[in-house]
Amino acid sequence: MEDMNPVFPFPFQAYDIQKKFMRELYFTIKNSELGIFESPTGTGKSLSICCGALQWYSDNRKKTIQDIENDITKIKTDLKNLTDSEDWLQAEYDKIKKNQTLTELQFKLDKIKKQDELFNEMKNRVAKQKSNSNNNFNGNQFSNSNKIDKEDVNKENILETEGNDDDLIVDICDKNSSDDEELDDDLNEESEHLAVKIYISSRTHSQLSQFIGEVKRTVFKERIRVVTLASRQHYCINSDVTRLKNVNLINERCLDMQKCKTKSTSVGDDGKVLKRTKTKSCSGCPYYNQNNITKLKERLLVDIMDMEDLVKCGKELKACPYYAARMALDDAQVVLLSHAGIVNSGARSGFSIKLKDNILILDEAHGLTAALENAHSAPVSLKQLSSVKTYLNFYINKYRARLNSKNLLLLNQMNFVVGKLLGILKPKIEKEQNDTKIYTLEDFVIKSEIDHLNLRPLVEFCKETRLAPKLHGFSMRYTQEVLEEENKRKTINQKSSFENFISKIKKTDDKVVEEIKEVKTSQLPTETSAGSGLYAVLDFLDMLCDRSENGRVLIQIAEDNTSQLKYLLLNTAEHFADIVSQCRSVILAGGTMEPISEFESLLTNNRTVERVNIVKCAHVVPEDNVLAVCLNKGPSNGNLNFSYENRMSNELLNEVGRLLRNVSSIVPGGVVCFLPSYAYELTVYQHLLNNKFIDSISKKKVIFREPKSATEVEQVLQKFATAVRKREGDRTGALLLSVVGGKLSEGLNFSDDLGRCVIVIGMPYPNVKSPELQEKMNYLNRTIGNAAGNQYYENLCMKAVNQCIGRAVRHASDYACVLLVDERYSRPHTTAALPYFVQKSLLTGCTFGQTIGSIARFFSKHKEMKQKN
């Protein structure tokens, strides 16, 4: 059969591993299996996913049509061959049933074929719109008229809202309609679809944009319909909404503006506004226009746009990109979204994502467990609780006379709960400072003294009355009044103790008094934390309502006002199991998927499942283009063991200095050295500086350090690249000191001369004494056994190491050395957790002399090959 040997239309000559990847992906989907695919970064993984999955989609669509046509032909033949039977009643029944089936099949076939006709019509409309737009569109007129209209609207808003707080009063009937219900009713009347969808998820939106670029390189670009889903925070182009920053507030403001679209406006022949009818104290969003959104949706489906293109086109057409993407979802065949949009059931529901019988491919799946944990963590800080408590108090007191008895009772209960949570984070005795504790959900509600309350109705009340956005509006409108009243209250409460403090000081200058006042003022909550804080509190209470046996509450109490409560999900697999059960096929793909066992348990949820297909692809580079070494002994022949107890010793730090000095002298180009933490990186650098190692290394390499600020990363990388390429005097490149799990360990490309050697010093185990980690390990040991907790601990370390290794060797002709500096890397179970392409050339248990010799020969050989070419 043709399916047994599918042809993949790769845009250029595919490598064998790419052919293997596409073939395995094709049949994993075809057989409705689960798959774990490891293909090293730089091997064209994204393009292989696109070609393999889209070829299956194309073949499956053809097969579906062919099967329906065959069934129709067979039924028609059967109907013709029906003969009179003695049992005429049964014969008539069979005839009716066959005719019903025939009608259903014909309807399906017509609908599938009509999709192509509609898509072609859509292409023609889009082409015509582009032509008209190029001839008629005047950007300056657009922006000026919009500006005038917005100014008029703002004036109306000011007039209408002055002295009127009706919009801030909670009302039990003021229920928030289901997310975008009106739009869904108006624009998605024919939501039923027959075609299977392919959902492709990745860690970041920039990685999703890469998939868009890869799809455009394939032969499918003219006939495939692709949409990228993202939140309003990423897609909103209304500056009045985006300035709110917090995603929940953006969502609420957007929905509020939709409700205001009923405002009628009379427009004259010249386009000027003649009359406005004021119906509400707000204006509808100018970008929420059904006709314009429809045009943008069609442009999106025809042109295949990434997020940046969609936003740009939305501004041009004066149409909302968020709703255009939502509207295009039903017609799309490939849907791109972030991991957060998939793993969170609330996000899936908000986007109206239907996974049942569809395909889910998760790229960069090494971060899937972390994404699941983050989606169900619900942290709430001391600052947020304090702010919510302050503003909720003033809210209740200000509107007490205008609230009905039931709402007032529920608001007081909410205020009581927030106060109890706040009390948990404000220890009464000094020895509880800098303390971390973990409780089961039952123990936590008892400790916080809220076990007598039914939290579910309270949470539902807050959501139905939209208390969070109302409290935000209250905080924006009455910030100054609240701060003044709070300042007075604190002054009165602290007066006696403050006077006692002053009396004990014999000489007090004005500066000291001013500093005390500044501290008191800075401790007051801000309107920003009040606006978003209640959302965090409600998320946390939502988790408490479930009372899951696999849930825990982490209490972190700190002196520096960073105390917080956090929900811990101990079993991420139980939430992912629902996704796996719905999908026809789930594929986890990544550059470094070791240790595989973690992802197997995530897919199977500790059940016996025979349909997990594990595919490990080699690298596109030849085996001798990678040299991997586990270094056991340093230049002075001392054992290299960077355990937490040993790593600060002068002897070991000296070994690091000698190692970097020697490697820098023989490795051409760029060397990237990863250290376990920012603190240890600072310790190493200071030691190298104080002991003159920096001076020696600088003769061969310009030294750079990873910045802690994300805004400085690009600048450091540019300087590093310049130093590598612009070699002056005896200098042969640059050395970059980085941190495992930092800003340079994931997603960055150190190809060719930028990363000729990657060094990982020590094993970056997380703090085993962390209560959070200990609780997770104990849970795994208790539920799974077989030292599952220790395995999880090892996996955390090795996943971080593998991400560092993946920064180098990015294409077929690239070459690099990987140096793992710690004797523990030579352990069999550790080497087994390294990427497949590293294991093939790995040298274990090496001394420093053996290592330096191997590195020298490696680069000498590639220098000769380069000269020959």
Side-chain angles (χ1 to χ4, degrees):
M1 292 177 63
E2 184 180 352
D3 274 357
M4 295 305 294
N5 191 23
V7 177
F8 300 101
F10 220 58
F12 41 81
Q13 183 61 42
Y15 298 113
D16 288 340
I17 66 161
Q18 291 169 333
K19 293 177 182 177
K20 175 186 176 182
F21 189 103
M22 290 185 288
R23 187 171 57 253
E24 292 287 351
L25 178 63
Y26 184 100
F27 286 109
T28 300
I29 296 174
K30 181 178 182 294
N31 298 328
S32 300
E33 294 178 337
L34 308 173
I36 300 173
F37 284 66
E38 180 182 83
S39 184
T41 305
T43 57
K45 171 168 54 69
S46 298
L47 186 57
S48 298
I49 288 174
C50 291
C51 290
L54 293 180
Q55 185 59 50
W56 173 84
Y57 186 91
S58 178
D59 291 347
N60 183 69
R61 195 168 187 274
K62 290 176 184 176
K63 183 178 182 302
T64 300
I65 294 173
Q66 187 63 54
D67 288 346
I68 292 175
E69 289 177 340
N70 291 342
D71 289 342
I72 289 174
T73 302
K74 184 177 183 303
I75 290 173
K76 286 181 177 180
T77 303
D78 291 343
L79 286 171
K80 285 181 181 179
N81 296 333
L82 277 176
T83 58
D84 292 335
S85 170
E86 292 182 2
D87 190 351
W88 62 269
L89 186 61
Q90 182 62 44
E92 193 64 25
Y93 175 78
D94 291 343
K95 185 177 179 180
I96 292 172
K97 289 294 290 182
K98 286 183 182 296
N99 276 316
Q100 285 179 343
T101 304
L102 181 63
T103 303
E104 291 172 2
L105 290 172
Q106 192 63 54
F107 175 78
K108 287 182 180 180
L109 183 62
D110 291 344
K111 193 164 185 177
I112 292 173
K113 290 184 175 181
K114 191 176 180 181
Q115 286 178 344
D116 291 335
E117 296 174 10
L118 293 174
F119 187 52
N120 289 330
E121 292 174 7
M122 192 185 297
K123 283 184 176 180
N124 294 332
R125 282 198 301 273
V126 168
K128 189 176 180 180
Q129 288 167 9
K130 286 182 181 179
S131 177
N132 293 338
S133 177
N134 291 335
N135 292 332
N136 302 325
F137 181 70
N138 186 319
N140 292 330
Q141 291 179 356
F142 171 86
S143 58
N144 289 338
S145 63
N146 189 39
K147 181 178 178 182
I148 293 170
D149 186 61
K150 284 178 69 174
E151 288 176 352
D152 290 343
V153 166
N154 287 338
K155 287 178 183 177
E156 288 183 8
N157 290 346
I158 292 171
L159 290 172
E160 292 175 12
T161 56
E162 279 184 354
N164 185 358
D165 287 353
D166 287 347
D167 57 319
L168 300 180
I169 307 298
V170 295
D171 183 352
I172 197 63
C173 297
D174 185 22
K175 295 186 180 182
N176 186 15
S177 59
S178 61
D179 191 12
D180 320 321
E181 182 179 347
E182 187 173 352
L183 178 110
D184 291 339
D185 290 342
D186 292 343
L187 305 184
N188 296 325
E189 292 176 358
E190 296 184 6
S191 60
E192 182 183 356
H193 58 276
L194 297 172
V196 173
K197 290 190 192 302
I198 298 176
Y199 291 94
I200 299 178
S201 171
S202 195
R203 194 171 55 87
T204 65
H205 289 106
S206 61
Q207 289 163 336
L208 294 178
S209 295
Q210 181 183 341
F211 270 100
I212 292 290
E214 300 294 14
V215 171
K216 288 180 178 179
R217 297 171 67 184
T218 69
V219 297
F220 304 101
K221 63 182 179 181
E222 297 298 330
R223 60 181 187 270
I224 201 74
R225 301 187 289 276
V226 184
V227 61
T228 303
L229 294 180
S231 67
R232 290 179 176 87
Q233 194 171 27
H234 292 94
Y235 271 154
C236 182
I237 55 177
N238 188 330
S239 58
D240 288 339
V241 179
T242 54
R243 63 182 173 80
L244 295 172
K245 305 301 181 184
N246 180 271
V247 64
N248 292 303
L249 293 173
I250 288 173
N251 289 339
E252 295 287 357
R253 179 60 178 152
C254 176
L255 294 171
D256 274 343
M257 296 183 83
Q258 289 176 36
K259 293 177 182 178
C260 300
K261 71 177 183 175
T262 55
K263 177 181 290 188
S264 62
T265 304
S266 301
V267 183
D269 295 335
D270 58 355
K272 293 184 178 180
V273 175
L274 300 179
K275 179 183 177 183
R276 280 194 182 91
T277 303
K278 299 179 185 179
T279 57
K280 287 194 178 184
S281 60
C282 63
S283 64
C285 178
Y287 303 101
Y288 188 77
N289 178 287
Q290 180 172 332
N291 292 331
N292 292 352
I293 291 173
T294 301
K295 290 177 183 178
L296 181 57
K297 162 213 162 183
E298 293 185 344
R299 185 83 67 90
L300 167 62
L301 291 172
V302 170
D303 287 350
I304 304 182
M305 301 181 187
D306 61 18
M307 291 175 61
E308 188 176 335
D309 293 333
L310 181 57
V311 168
K312 182 179 178 182
C313 193
K315 291 177 180 178
E316 176 188 323
L317 296 177
K318 201 179 179 185
C320 176
Y322 172 79
Y323 283 113
R326 285 284 306 276
M327 189 179 177
L329 180 60
D330 281 334
D331 293 322
Q333 297 161 320
V334 176
V335 181
L336 305 178
L337 70 168
S338 67
H339 288 338
I342 279 289
V343 300
N344 191 309
S345 59
R348 293 200 303 274
S349 175
F351 283 131
S352 301
I353 292 172
K354 303 177 181 68
L355 292 177
K356 187 169 178 57
D357 299 328
N358 287 324
I359 314 302
L360 175 60
I361 302 173
L362 294 113
D363 190 30
E364 301 294 331
H366 66 270
L368 181 56
T369 302
L372 281 162
E373 290 173 349
N374 289 337
H376 301 89
S377 63
V380 56
S381 69
L382 173 65
K383 181 180 177 181
Q384 289 173 321
L385 286 168
S386 179
S387 180
V388 171
K389 177 66 176 172
T390 298
Y391 282 97
L392 201 52
N393 268 333
F394 279 87
Y395 181 92
I396 293 171
N397 290 334
K398 187 173 182 66
Y399 300 129
R400 184 180 298 275
R402 299 175 63 179
L403 295 166
N404 65 46
S405 57
K406 182 178 180 182
N407 289 353
L408 183 59
L409 173 64
L410 290 168
L411 283 172
N412 279 320
Q413 285 182 352
M414 189 65 193
N415 197 28
F416 173 82
V417 170
V418 172
K420 288 299 182 181
L421 296 181
L422 189 59
I424 289 283
L425 293 180
K426 286 187 173 180
K428 298 177 176 60
I429 52 177
E430 191 173 335
K431 70 176 184 179
E432 290 183 3
Q433 295 284 8
N434 295 318
D435 192 16
T436 302
K437 293 180 180 178
I438 292 180
Y439 294 89
T440 64
L441 303 193
E442 293 290 344
D443 289 343
F444 175 78
V445 294
I446 292 172
K447 178 177 175 58
S448 55
E449 300 175 354
I450 57 174
D451 53 308
H452 62 288
L453 290 174
N454 188 350
L455 297 177
R456 178 62 70 189
L458 200 55
V459 172
E460 292 301 323
F461 163 78
C462 293
K463 290 180 179 179
E464 288 173 358
T465 59
R466 302 180 64 231
L467 178 60
K470 290 178 188 292
L471 192 64
H472 171 74
F474 177 81
S475 68
M476 294 292 288
R477 202 171 296 177
Y478 295 105
T479 297
Q480 192 58 40
E481 181 181 326
V482 170
L483 293 181
E484 287 174 0
E485 289 296 324
E486 183 72 0
N487 196 22
K488 288 179 183 177
R489 184 184 66 80
K490 288 194 174 187
T491 302
I492 294 171
N493 291 343
Q494 297 174 4
K495 185 176 181 181
S496 57
S497 59
F498 182 73
E499 289 174 349
N500 291 336
F501 170 70
I502 294 295
S503 65
K504 292 179 182 177
I505 302 176
K506 295 180 179 180
K507 295 181 180 179
T508 305
D509 59 17
D510 292 337
K511 185 178 178 182
V512 173
V513 176
E514 284 299 317
E515 286 178 355
I516 294 171
K517 289 181 179 178
E518 285 178 12
V519 170
K520 287 168 64 183
T521 305
S522 67
Q523 289 172 347
L524 295 176
T526 65
E527 73 279 0
T528 304
S529 57
S532 60
L534 187 54
Y535 286 110
V537 173
L538 292 175
D539 286 343
F540 180 77
L541 294 179
D542 229 350
M543 297 296 179
L544 289 186
C545 290
D546 290 340
R547 303 288 172 95
S548 170
E549 292 182 0
N550 297 324
R552 299 288 185 273
V553 175
L554 173 74
I555 303 176
Q556 290 180 312
I557 299 175
E559 293 179 1
D560 56 355
N561 239 16
T562 58
S563 302
Q564 68 166 352
L565 300 172
K566 186 178 179 182
Y567 180 83
L568 302 180
L569 176 64
L570 299 180
N571 183 11
T572 54
E574 72 176 16
H575 286 270
F576 196 65
D578 183 49
I579 295 174
V580 175
S581 64
Q582 290 184 61
C583 293
R584 168 189 175 127
S585 183
V586 177
I587 309 294
L588 306 184
T592 50
M593 294 299 289
E594 292 289 352
I596 293 287
S597 58
E598 175 183 334
F599 301 101
E600 280 187 283
S601 63
L602 199 58
L603 285 174
T604 62
N605 196 20
N606 303 317
R607 296 169 300 181
T608 303
V609 177
E610 297 179 358
R611 60 188 188 116
V612 178
N613 184 22
I614 298 173
V615 179
K616 293 185 179 182
C617 295
H619 211 295
V620 291
V621 301
E623 190 173 325
D624 55 2
N625 275 25
V626 179
L627 172 65
V629 180
C630 295
L631 182 58
N632 283 26
K633 293 185 178 295
S636 301
N637 209 36
N639 290 338
L640 297 176
N641 187 312
F642 289 84
S643 63
Y644 192 76
E645 295 78 14
N646 300 334
R647 65 173 60 170
M648 303 302 290
S649 70
N650 282 329
E651 293 80 4
L652 208 52
L653 291 170
N654 285 332
E655 292 287 62
V656 172
R658 298 184 190 104
L659 169 67
L660 293 178
R661 183 175 59 194
N662 281 275
V663 169
S664 296
S665 65
I666 62 173
V667 174
V671 176
V672 184
C673 176
F674 289 98
L675 295 152
S677 66
Y678 283 103
Y680 193 61
E681 186 274 338
L682 177 61
T683 298
V684 169
Y685 182 79
Q686 290 293 344
H687 185 87
L688 298 179
L689 190 64
N690 296 336
N691 291 274
K692 309 300 182 183
F693 286 111
I694 290 291
D695 296 338
S696 302
I697 297 170
S698 296
K699 293 177 182 178
K700 290 292 184 180
K701 304 285 185 190
V702 182
I703 300 174
F704 296 92
R705 300 172 63 197
E706 176 179 324
K708 284 190 176 182
S709 172
T711 57
E712 299 175 17
V713 170
E714 187 62 33
Q715 183 181 3
V716 171
L717 288 175
Q718 288 179 356
K719 290 181 179 179
F720 173 74
T722 301
V724 169
R725 296 188 180 102
K726 188 179 179 181
R727 304 176 188 180
E728 298 176 343
D730 293 333
R731 284 181 171 170
T732 60
L735 168 67
L736 178 59
L737 298 177
S738 306
V739 177
V740 177
K743 300 168 186 65
L744 306 180
S745 63
E746 283 195 49
L748 290 177
N749 184 346
F750 291 101
S751 62
D752 299 316
D753 279 350
L754 292 179
R756 288 301 180 204
C757 181
V758 171
I759 304 173
V760 184
I761 293 180
M763 298 190 72
Y765 287 107
N767 181 11
V768 74
K769 295 181 180 179
S770 160
E772 188 173 346
L773 179 58
Q774 284 189 343
E775 187 70 22
K776 176 78 172 184
M777 291 172 64
N778 291 335
Y779 170 81
L780 292 172
N781 288 332
R782 187 171 63 252
T783 56
I784 301 175
N786 299 323
N790 290 333
Q791 184 63 54
Y792 173 78
Y793 185 61
E794 290 283 339
N795 290 352
L796 288 175
C797 171
M798 293 311 298
K799 281 200 296 183
V801 171
N802 291 343
Q803 286 305 306
C804 297
I805 292 173
R807 297 312 94 214
V809 195
R810 310 287 291 192
H811 57 82
S813 58
D814 202 358
Y815 61 92
C817 166
V818 176
L819 193 56
L820 304 174
V821 184
D822 197 303
E823 63 183 4
R824 292 173 293 176
Y825 279 114
S826 295
R827 298 175 302 189
H829 71 273
T830 302
T831 57
L834 292 169
Y836 183 55
F837 78 94
V838 169
Q839 293 183 36
K840 292 173 66 176
S841 63
L842 186 64
L843 304 175
T844 60
C846 294
T847 63
F848 181 75
Q850 293 170 329
T851 300
I852 290 296
S854 298
I855 294 174
R857 288 191 294 272
F858 177 79
F859 286 106
S860 177
K861 181 185 71 173
H862 283 283
K863 183 179 180 180
E864 292 175 6
M865 292 172 61
K866 200 172 183 179
Q867 289 173 345
K868 288 179 183 179
N869 296 332

